[in-house]
Amino acid sequence: ETGGPELQRHKRNTDVQQPRIATESGNLVFLTGSAQNIEFRPGSLGKIKLNDEDLSECLHQIQRNKDDIIDLKKGTVPQNISSQILQLNAKLVDL
Amino acid sequence: ETGGPELQRHKRNTDVQQPRIATESGNLVFLTGSAQNIEFRPGSLGKIKLNDEDLSECLHQIQRNKDDIIDLKKGTVPQNISSQILQLNAKLVDL
Amino acid sequence: ETGGPELQRHKRNTDVQQPRIATESGNLVFLTGSAQNIEFRPGSLGKIKLNDEDLSECLHQIQRNKDDIIDLKKGTVPQNISSQILQLNAKLVDL
Amino acid sequence: AYKLWVPNTDFDDDANWSQNRTPCAGATVEFPANKMVSVLVRGGHSVSDLLLPLDGELILDSGAAFSASVATWDPDCSVGGPALFRDPDRFSWYDPRLWRSQETTRGLFSVDAERVPCRHDDVVFPATASFRVGLGRGARTVRSVSVLGRTFLRDDDLAAFLASRAGRLRFHGPGVLRVVPEACADPSGCVCDNDEVLPWVCAALLQPLDGRCPPAACSNAFRPEGQCCDLCGAIVSLTHGAAFDLEKYRERLLGTFLLQYQGLQVAVSKVRRASRVWEAAGPGPDTEIQVVLAEGRPLAGGAPRLVQDILADIAEHGETLGVVSATVRELSSPVGGGF
C-alpha cells in the first residue's frame, strides 16, 4: 500500500531532470535537463572569473571586436592610399 | 535562544550577500552578492569546457581577433593595391 | 575507531586532488586537480547564460569575428579604390 | 511480492554524516575521494568548503542550494572537524534490515532469508532518494528491478543500465543481478530460493553484533529454515495439497487467531523439505509450508496454545484449506518456565 504513492512520486521526479553537479574522474561537470539552462548572475560588482580572466570583460571585447569589424568593412580607405591616389591624379593633370 | 538572532542574521545574509548555487525550475543558477565573485580554477593542465568547446581557447581567440583588428586599423595596405600604385608611378615616370 | 582508517584513506587520496567547491572571503570558487577540467553541459535545448547573455551565442560571435577578419586580411579592396585605380590606368593609356 | 530498498545516500539525511547530523552552517564538507556515489540534495546548505568524490554526483532537487557562508556560521560547527559523508559502500544487498516488504503488518514477519529479495520478487529502488547498493558476490535473480522510475523486465536492459554511469553510481561489487520476469504463479507459494546466500544474509545482519546471535530467552530454542538466530516459540510444518493457498492461509492465521495472542509473530512460507537432514527420506512433495510462531520479548508464552489452535483448525478444515497433514517440529519452553 505504501508502494503506490511512493512509486507515483518517483515517476514525476524523473520526468523533470534535476540539475546536477557531477564529477567524472576528477573533472567537475555541471549538467542540466534537456531544456534547462545554466545561468551565471553575479551581483553588480561581482565577477565571474576563469582563472584570472574576467568573463564579462571578455564578452564585452567580443562586442567591441564585432563593432570594429563592421567599421573596417565599411571600407574606410587607409589614409596613405587615398593620398597616393590624389597625387597620381595630380601628376596626370599636370602632364 | 541564541539561535534566534543568529538565524535571523543568517537569513538576511543568504538573501543578499552569499554566493549561491541554486535551482530554479530545473535551471542551475550561480548567483553572487554585490561584490562577490564566482571563480573557476581548473588545474594548470585542466580546461574549462562549454559542451565541447574549450573556453580558454575561445578567450585566446578574442584576444587574437582584437590584435588582428588593431593591425587592420593601422591601415596596412593590401599588397595588390600597393603594387598597382607602384606600377602607375612607374608608368608616369616613363612618360 | 572508524575515524582512523577513514582519515588514513583520505590522506592517501589527496595525491589525486578531489574537485572542490570552496569559499574564499565570500567568493565562490570551483577548483579541480592539475589535469582535471571544469565542464558545463546544459541539455540540448538549454543555454549557458551570463545575466541575459547567451554564452554560446557569444562564442559563435568570436568565430564569426575571426572569419570576418580573415576576409578583411585577404585584402578585398574597397570598391572606390579599385575604380579610381581603373580610371588612372585608363587615363594613362589615353595619353 | 515486492521488496523496497530503504537506506539512502541523501545529503539531507543525518544518518549519512560522520557526526550523525547534516553539515552545519559554514561547515567543511568532505566526501570520500574514491567512493562513487549519487547524492540527492533537497535543502539549502551553507558550506565553506565542499570536497567532492572523484567520481560522483550531487543531484539538486527543486529546493536545493549551496551557498558560501560569509559572516554567519555556527560557532559549534568547527568542533569535531569536517563533516564527513559516511562510506556509501556500507549498504549490502544481503542485509535484511535494508529492505521493506508489504508483509510488515503487525503480527507477521519473514524469516531473515526472505527479508531480502526472493527469486519471484519485484525489487523497487525509490527515486525519491539517492542510494547505493553493494551487490556482493554471486548472482541474484529476481522478477523485476525498478530504478529511477524505469522497470527492468529484460536482462539485457538491466545489464546495460548497470554498466552505464547511472548504474555504476548506484550498484557496485562483483555480484551479478539478473531478471527473469516470472511471477510466482503457484497459489500455494513459491520457494524464496535464498538458501545459498543465507551465510551472507546472516553475516550482514549480525555484523553490528560481531557476528554473534543474542542468546535466546528460552530452553529448546530452535532455528527455522532461513533464520539466522535461534527463536523461541514453535514451528508447525504443513504438507500442502493442491487446494492450499499461502496468502489465504496467512490471512486466516492473522485474522482468526493472532489477534488473541499478544507478543506472538507468525511467519508462513514455502520451504524445501529436502534440506531438513532429519527428515525421513521417502516419497512425497519436496516442499512444505513452514509456520513459525515466534515469541517476543519478554516471553508471553502463547505459542503452545496457538499451536493447539492451529492443529485443531487443520483437523476440522484441513481438506478445505488444502492441508494434508501438520507436524509440530519445534516447541520451546521458557527458561525455568512453569509449563
Side-chain angles (χ1 to χ4, degrees):
Chain A
E1 64 200 9
T2 53
E6 202 134 8
L7 284 173
Q8 201 62 26
R9 192 143 42 89
H10 176 40
K11 202 91 185 171
R12 199 187 55 211
N13 277 343
T14 48
D15 291 345
V16 184
Q17 259 190 289
Q18 293 124 314
R20 55 196 71 201
I21 301 173
T23 50
E24 298 174 1
S25 313
N27 299 308
L28 183 57
V29 188
F30 299 90
L31 300 131
T32 58
S34 61
Q36 265 70 42
N37 301 333
I38 298 176
E39 305 188 19
F40 302 100
R41 297 198 207 130
S44 51
L45 297 173
K47 294 171 182 174
I48 294 170
K49 294 179 77 176
L50 310 177
N51 291 317
D52 285 329
E53 292 193 85
D54 178 343
L55 193 56
S56 323
E57 187 43 48
C58 292
L59 300 190
H60 284 141
Q61 188 57 49
I62 296 173
Q63 191 53 45
R64 278 197 293 269
N65 285 351
K66 186 183 167 188
D67 293 344
D68 283 348
I69 288 166
I70 288 169
D71 279 351
L72 283 166
K73 276 188 179 169
K74 272 183 198 152
T76 50
V77 185
Q79 274 201 324
N80 57 346
I81 295 195
S82 301
S83 65
Q84 285 183 64
I85 287 170
L86 281 173
Q87 282 171 31
L88 281 173
N89 269 316
K91 284 180 188 170
L92 284 168
V93 167
D94 289 344
L95 276 179
Chain B
E1 65 217 353
T2 53
E6 199 129 10
L7 281 174
Q8 200 62 23
R9 188 146 45 89
H10 178 47
K11 196 94 187 171
R12 200 185 52 212
N13 279 335
T14 48
D15 291 345
V16 189
Q17 282 192 315
Q18 287 179 275
R20 271 165 86 80
I21 307 171
T23 53
E24 293 178 6
S25 318
N27 300 310
L28 181 59
V29 187
F30 299 83
L31 301 126
T32 63
S34 56
Q36 261 76 42
N37 300 333
I38 299 176
E39 305 188 20
F40 298 98
R41 296 198 207 132
S44 52
L45 298 173
K47 295 169 182 173
I48 297 172
K49 295 177 77 175
L50 306 179
N51 291 317
D52 284 329
E53 291 192 88
D54 179 343
L55 200 53
S56 323
E57 188 43 48
C58 292
L59 300 189
H60 284 143
Q61 189 57 51
I62 296 173
Q63 190 54 44
R64 278 196 293 269
N65 285 351
K66 186 184 165 188
D67 293 345
D68 281 349
I69 287 166
I70 288 169
D71 279 351
L72 282 166
K73 275 187 180 169
K74 271 185 198 154
T76 51
V77 186
Q79 274 201 324
N80 57 345
I81 294 195
S82 301
S83 65
Q84 283 183 65
I85 287 170
L86 282 173
Q87 282 171 31
L88 279 172
N89 270 314
K91 282 178 188 171
L92 282 169
V93 168
D94 290 345
L95 275 178
Chain C
E1 66 199 8
T2 53
E6 205 138 359
L7 283 173
Q8 199 61 27
R9 195 143 34 85
H10 171 47
K11 203 87 186 172
R12 199 185 55 210
N13 284 332
T14 46
D15 296 343
V16 189
Q17 261 189 288
Q18 287 176 256
R20 242 178 100 183
I21 301 177
T23 331
E24 294 179 4
S25 320
N27 300 311
L28 186 58
V29 188
F30 298 86
L31 301 127
T32 58
S34 60
Q36 266 69 43
N37 301 333
I38 298 176
E39 306 187 20
F40 300 95
R41 297 196 206 134
S44 53
L45 298 173
K47 294 169 183 173
I48 298 172
K49 293 177 77 176
L50 212 182
N51 291 319
D52 286 329
E53 290 191 272
D54 179 343
L55 204 51
S56 322
E57 188 42 49
C58 292
L59 299 189
H60 284 142
Q61 189 57 49
I62 297 173
Q63 189 55 44
R64 279 195 293 268
N65 285 351
K66 186 184 165 186
D67 293 344
D68 282 349
I69 287 167
I70 289 169
D71 278 351
L72 283 166
K73 277 189 180 169
K74 270 184 198 154
T76 50
V77 186
Q79 273 201 325
N80 56 346
I81 294 193
S82 301
S83 64
Q84 283 182 64
I85 287 170
L86 281 173
Q87 281 170 30
L88 280 172
N89 271 314
K91 282 180 189 169
L92 284 168
V93 167
D94 289 344
L95 275 178
Chain D
Y2 73 86
K3 294 269 179 11
L4 183 69
W5 179 254
V6 175
N8 65 68
T9 53
D10 290 0
F11 195 98
D12 301 78
D13 190 330
D14 289 337
N16 286 325
W17 295 94
S18 56
Q19 293 164 21
N20 265 316
R21 61 168 187 181
T22 54
C24 43
T28 292
V29 174
E30 200 173 318
F31 285 86
N34 287 329
K35 302 285 182 171
M36 276 189 96
V37 67
S38 174
V39 173
L40 180 66
V41 186
R42 294 174 201 274
H45 299 277
S46 168
V47 299
S48 63
D49 210 344
L50 188 59
L51 268 165
L52 298 167
L54 292 170
D55 273 291
E57 64 181 12
L58 298 178
I59 300 173
L60 304 181
D61 208 358
S62 55
F66 284 108
S67 54
S69 65
V70 180
T72 61
W73 51 282
D74 182 345
D76 295 335
C77 197
S78 54
V79 179
L84 299 172
F85 194 80
R86 295 182 63 203
D87 183 0
D89 288 357
R90 68 188 184 279
F91 306 109
S92 164
W93 172 281
Y94 294 112
D95 191 336
R97 296 167 299 169
L98 307 185
W99 296 96
R100 202 170 74 216
S101 71
Q102 67 263 59
E103 286 159 27
T104 44
T105 320
R106 203 170 129 262
L108 288 181
F109 78 104
S110 295
V111 293
D112 297 322
E114 296 173 21
R115 291 164 67 191
V116 304
C118 300
R119 166 70 191 78
H120 297 284
D121 279 344
D122 296 302
V123 173
V124 179
F125 295 94
T128 49
S130 51
F131 65 91
R132 185 158 169 86
V133 188
L135 291 176
R137 275 180 276 277
R140 303 304 308 137
T141 301
V142 295
R143 177 174 177 260
S144 73
V145 177
S146 297
V147 191
L148 302 174
R150 294 172 64 191
T151 298
F152 296 98
L153 289 161
R154 287 188 56 230
D155 214 30
D156 289 349
D157 295 341
L158 178 63
F161 172 78
L162 292 174
S164 73
R165 179 174 160 81
R168 286 182 295 116
L169 281 167
R170 292 166 179 85
F171 296 88
H172 68 103
V176 177
L177 182 57
R178 293 207 180 94
V179 286
V180 174
E182 286 169 10
C184 175
D186 187 344
S188 73
C190 295
V191 171
C192 174
D193 226 6
N194 277 348
D195 300 347
E196 280 178 29
V197 302
L198 187 62
W200 296 333
V201 169
C202 295
L205 180 69
L206 300 175
Q207 193 249 329
L209 301 169
D210 291 329
R212 283 190 294 270
C213 285
C218 57
S219 56
N220 311 339
F222 56 88
R223 190 167 303 183
E225 284 296 307
Q227 192 71 7
C228 293
C229 295
D230 290 352
L231 290 179
C232 300
I235 298 177
V236 179
S237 290
L238 310 181
T239 304
H240 57 96
F244 185 75
D245 186 312
L246 186 75
E247 276 309 315
K248 282 186 184 155
Y249 188 67
R250 202 178 265 152
E251 282 164 29
R252 183 180 182 87
L253 285 182
L254 192 64
T256 312
F257 304 114
L258 213 58
L259 292 175
Q260 306 164 29
Y261 296 90
Q262 286 288 320
L264 263 185
Q265 284 196 307
V266 176
V268 187
S269 57
K270 183 182 273 188
V271 297
R272 285 217 168 77
R273 174 169 272 180
S275 61
R276 290 190 175 275
V277 288
W278 33 268
E279 179 74 28
D286 58 358
T287 60
E288 63 184 14
I289 306 302
Q290 174 177 263
V291 180
V292 182
L293 313 181
E295 296 269 18
R297 286 169 189 251
L299 293 183
R305 277 195 295 131
L306 181 51
V307 167
Q308 291 313 311
D309 284 348
I310 288 171
L311 294 179
D313 183 44
I314 287 167
E316 192 174 347
H317 304 288
E319 203 167 333
T320 330
L321 294 171
V323 177
V324 176
S325 66
T327 312
V328 180
R329 297 275 186 218
E330 303 285 352
L331 189 58
S332 67
S333 41
V335 176
F339 282 91

